[in-house]
């Protein structure tokens, strides 16, 4: 059921915006080095927003507001909920790291993080080209500032400049593609664009020309090859807490706008954009996995791992097509949604360990820095091992089921090209398993380089333990989350 209730569609955004402004004011009077009051209020705000979006998602209703510019549906609300939780976990992991490096001195980290989350919300809720682009720019501008947060660090400043230049180019690609679509269809509204293309009266060459730029812009945002050049440099150069902030929750928002733009608005052009995504997926799997093998820097290795993981996620979008029947499309898109959610969960755990091992004056960025971690702390070595095994796709962890769901969607199509893609994905995953297992080998079989014990505050230790346990539990019992993703995608495709 679709209702025209404008304010209902944006109440999470309103709550988040109001609380962000209040937190910014509270921060002015918070003089503690770790910004304790600001931190607690931020976590309470994020918890409240997560509950609001989770309840809205559980209702399963779809609302359009503001002349159809905004949509509130199950898929969007679940993505908002998971993105909010991801930001909460990021702040828990990143606060000690940021405090040791005086990144909380001005308090911008919390407010910029909340504004980035607001940008994600606008992106996910957008049912209009203009609104999606505004949300994307709010996220990216906040991300640029976060990367440059350590003003006295030359490496972080360089990473911010690279991110800004390449991000601006990506935004230009996307905006140019959207303007071409507007020129061809005469509308910024996704539903109207869908109807205009479906008539077959719009010049197909103009549509495909615009589509190329849109897909290129989206590929930049998710870090898919060959538009991946910013990912390794920014991941390595940014402060680790910021690396996690830009590498976890935004992937959920990127998946959301891919569904909104390509599936909701440009589904009649699926045969064109799926071929483009297939090429991006193949390039990402090859470049990501092969380049990661050569890395000694852990953050840079995980950056190339992200490129490969996004390639796998794109394969699910390639497999979904109305030509295969609605049920197959729902299964394929829901497999991609499940994949990106579980990828974010695993990324939080892996970077959480890196942040935990970092100390004042020591970043713990090299793979060798993990040497003998099992002897220093079996718990944290176990969490890191679970994260690495999951990223490699080993059973019974959730990464295995996520990869299996995408491969099943490809094989279910019955087309020889899709089955070939599935075989190719398996082969590249086997190659990728090498660098994940190398990290585990270093932790369990190499001699420790330091005798210092690993200590963490109660909140970090608790969240890390839950994080690692969820990777295992969702691998053994994936049905609930998979059903949630399927129902959310089905509700989105239905309208």
């Amino acid at each position: 059921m679709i209702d025209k209730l404008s304010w209902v569609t944006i109440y999470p955004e309103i709550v988040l915006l109001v609380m962000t402004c209040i937190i910014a004011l509270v921060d002015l009077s918070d003089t503690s080095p770790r910004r304790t009051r600001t931190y607690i209020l931020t976590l309470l705000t994020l918890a409240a927003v997560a509950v609001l979006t989770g309840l809205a998602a559980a209702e399963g209703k779809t609302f359009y507001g503001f002349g159809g510019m905004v949509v509130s549906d199950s898929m969007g609300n679940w993505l908002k909920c998971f993105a909010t939780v991801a930001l909460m976990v990021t702040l828990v992991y990143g606060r000690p790291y940021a405090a040791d490096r005086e990144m909380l001195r001005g308090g911008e980290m919390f407010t910029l993080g909340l504004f980035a989350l607001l940008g994600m919300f606008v992106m996910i809720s957008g049912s209009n080209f203009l609104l999606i682009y505004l949300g994307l720019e709010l996220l990216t501008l906040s991300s640029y500032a976060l990367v440059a947060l350590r003003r006295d660090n030359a490496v972080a400043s360089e990473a911010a400049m690279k991110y800004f230049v390449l991000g601006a180019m990506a935004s230009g690609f996307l905006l140019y593609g959207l303007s071409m679509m507007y020129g061809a269809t005469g509308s910024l509204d996704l539903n109207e664009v869908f109807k205009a293309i479906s008539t077959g009266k719009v010049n197909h060459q103009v549509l495909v020309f615009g589509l190329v730029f849109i897909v290129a812009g989206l590929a930049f945002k998710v870090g898919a090859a060959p538009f991946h050049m910013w990912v390794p440099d920014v991941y390595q150069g940014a402060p680790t807490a910021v690396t996690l902030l830009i590498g976890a929750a935004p992937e959920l928002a990127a998946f959301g706008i891919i569904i909104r733009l390509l599936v909701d608005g440009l589904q009649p052009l699926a045969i064109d954009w799926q071929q483009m995504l297939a090429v991006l997926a193949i390039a990402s799997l090859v470049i990501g996995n092969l380049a990661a093998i050569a890395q000694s820097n852990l953050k840079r290795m995980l950056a190339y791992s992200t490129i490969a993981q996004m390639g796998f996620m794109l394969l699910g979008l390639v497999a979904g097509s109305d030509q295969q029947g609605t049920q197959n499309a729902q299964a394929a898109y829901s497999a991609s949604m499940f994949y990106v959610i579980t990828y974010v969960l695993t990324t939080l755990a892996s970077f959480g360990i890196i942040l935990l091992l970092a100390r004042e004056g020591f970043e713990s960025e090299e793979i060798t820095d993990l040497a003998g971690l099992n002897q220093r702390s079996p718990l944290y070595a176990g969490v890191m091992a679970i994260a690495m095994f999951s990223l490699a796709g080993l059973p019974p962890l959730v990464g295995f089921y996520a990869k299996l769901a995408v491969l099943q969607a490809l094989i279910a199509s019955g087309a020889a090209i899709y089955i070939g893609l599935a075989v190719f994905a398996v082969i590249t995953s086997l190659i990728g398993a090498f660098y994940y297992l190398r990290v585990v080998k270093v932790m369990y079989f190499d001699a420790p380089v330091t005798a210092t014990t690993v200590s963490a505050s109660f909140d970090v230790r608790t969240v890390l333990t839950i994080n690692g346990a969820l990777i295992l539990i969702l691998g053994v019992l994936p049905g609930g989350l998979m059903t949630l993703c399927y129902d959310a995608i089905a509700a989105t495709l239905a309208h």
Side-chain angles (χ1 to χ4, degrees):
M1 180 180 179
I2 300 176
D3 297 318
K4 299 282 186 178
L5 299 175
S6 293
W7 294 107
V8 173
T9 60
I10 62 167
Y11 74 87
E13 286 84 353
I14 295 173
V15 172
L16 185 57
L17 177 60
V18 171
M19 288 307 301
T20 301
C21 295
I22 293 173
I23 289 169
L25 293 174
V26 169
D27 186 63
L28 293 175
S29 61
D30 190 353
T31 56
S32 62
R34 291 180 175 259
R35 302 282 170 171
T36 305
R37 279 184 296 171
T38 309
Y39 170 70
I40 292 173
L41 185 56
T42 302
L43 290 188
L44 290 174
T45 298
L46 292 173
V49 172
V51 170
L52 286 174
T53 51
L55 291 174
E59 273 189 49
K61 294 183 179 179
T62 299
F63 301 101
Y64 279 91
F66 298 97
M69 293 179 65
V70 180
V71 58
S72 173
D73 59 7
S74 183
M75 183 201 75
N77 284 314
W78 279 125
L79 290 175
K80 291 178 189 177
C81 180
F82 293 135
T84 304
V85 173
L87 180 59
M88 285 179 65
V89 175
T90 299
L91 294 180
V92 171
Y93 291 162
R95 179 177 171 241
Y97 174 96
D100 289 342
R101 287 150 185 80
E102 297 187 348
M103 290 169 59
L104 302 182
R105 184 172 49 191
E108 300 97 333
M109 183 172 174
F110 296 115
T111 50
L112 285 172
L114 290 171
F115 275 120
L117 182 64
L118 181 61
M120 297 178 217
F121 277 27
V122 175
M123 288 164 60
I124 293 169
S125 292
S127 186
N128 180 282
F129 287 156
L130 185 59
L131 201 64
I132 289 173
Y133 184 75
L134 288 175
L136 182 64
E137 286 306 292
L138 179 56
L139 168 61
T140 52
L141 290 173
S142 301
S143 300
Y144 302 151
L146 282 164
V147 174
L149 203 54
R150 293 186 69 183
R151 301 172 182 82
D152 56 346
N153 188 288
V155 176
S157 299
E158 180 186 351
M161 286 298 295
K162 290 177 180 176
Y163 193 18
F164 175 75
V165 172
L166 293 173
M169 183 169 65
S171 295
F173 273 36
L174 184 62
L175 190 60
Y176 186 67
L178 295 178
S179 67
M180 292 293 293
M181 287 295 170
Y182 172 67
T185 62
S187 178
L188 294 170
D189 184 84
L190 290 178
N191 291 324
E192 295 300 319
V193 169
F194 180 92
K195 293 175 184 176
I197 298 174
S198 298
T199 61
K201 298 179 181 178
V202 182
N203 189 309
H204 187 72
Q205 289 181 323
V206 176
L207 291 174
V208 173
F209 186 73
L211 184 62
V212 169
F213 283 94
I214 290 175
V215 172
L218 294 174
F220 264 106
K221 298 306 178 185
V222 300
F227 304 100
H228 65 287
M229 60 285 293
W230 64 272
V231 181
D233 290 341
V234 173
Y235 269 49
Q236 182 181 3
T240 307
V242 176
T243 301
L244 180 55
L245 198 150
I246 63 175
E251 300 293 357
L252 296 166
F255 173 81
I257 62 167
I258 289 174
I259 293 294
R260 296 292 187 217
L261 287 174
L262 299 185
V263 178
D264 281 0
L266 306 176
Q267 182 63 40
L269 300 174
I271 193 167
D272 297 303
W273 58 254
Q274 283 175 338
Q275 293 177 40
M276 300 177 197
L277 293 186
V279 173
L280 293 173
I282 292 170
S284 299
L285 288 168
V286 172
I287 293 174
N289 283 311
L290 292 180
I293 292 174
Q295 306 305 315
S296 60
N297 183 282
L298 186 55
K299 286 166 66 177
R300 200 170 183 88
M301 187 207 83
L302 289 173
Y304 282 109
S305 163
T306 296
I307 295 166
Q309 299 288 340
M310 289 302 102
F312 227 106
M313 184 271 289
L314 291 175
L315 287 178
L317 298 170
V318 171
S321 170
D322 282 346
Q323 294 176 351
Q324 304 160 13
T326 304
Q327 191 170 3
N328 282 351
Q330 291 171 357
Y333 297 143
S334 61
S336 281
M337 182 176 174
F338 181 88
Y339 196 98
V340 74
I341 291 170
T342 55
Y343 162 75
V344 169
L345 177 67
T346 311
T347 297
L348 289 169
S350 58
F351 274 96
I353 296 296
I354 298 173
L355 286 164
L356 176 64
L357 296 178
R359 329 185 270 282
E360 190 171 356
F362 179 70
E363 291 295 329
S364 185
E365 289 185 1
E366 299 297 318
I367 295 176
T368 53
D369 293 333
L370 298 177
L373 180 59
N374 183 56
Q375 299 176 36
R376 297 164 58 199
S377 174
L379 172 62
Y380 301 132
V383 172
M384 190 64 165
I386 286 173
M388 293 297 104
F389 285 143
S390 181
L391 288 171
L394 298 180
L397 302 171
V398 71
F400 167 76
Y401 190 83
K403 283 181 167 58
L404 180 63
V406 171
L407 294 174
Q408 286 176 331
L410 284 167
I411 294 171
S413 68
I417 184 66
Y418 289 158
I419 295 173
L421 281 175
V423 172
F424 177 79
V426 171
I427 294 171
T428 54
S429 293
L430 290 174
I431 296 172
F434 168 79
Y435 54 86
Y436 295 123
L437 297 178
R438 180 178 58 184
V439 174
V440 178
K441 175 260 180 189
V442 168
M443 291 192 299
Y444 282 87
F445 299 105
D446 286 12
V449 293
T450 177
T452 57
T453 57
V454 181
S455 59
S457 58
F458 174 77
D459 55 344
V460 174
R461 185 169 62 251
T462 303
V463 174
L464 257 177
T465 304
I466 295 171
N467 199 163
L470 279 175
I471 296 172
L472 178 59
I473 292 169
L474 288 174
V476 177
L477 302 170
L481 181 58
M482 193 70 232
T483 301
L484 179 152
C485 294
Y486 185 88
D487 291 343
I489 290 294
T492 297
L493 296 182
H495 64 78

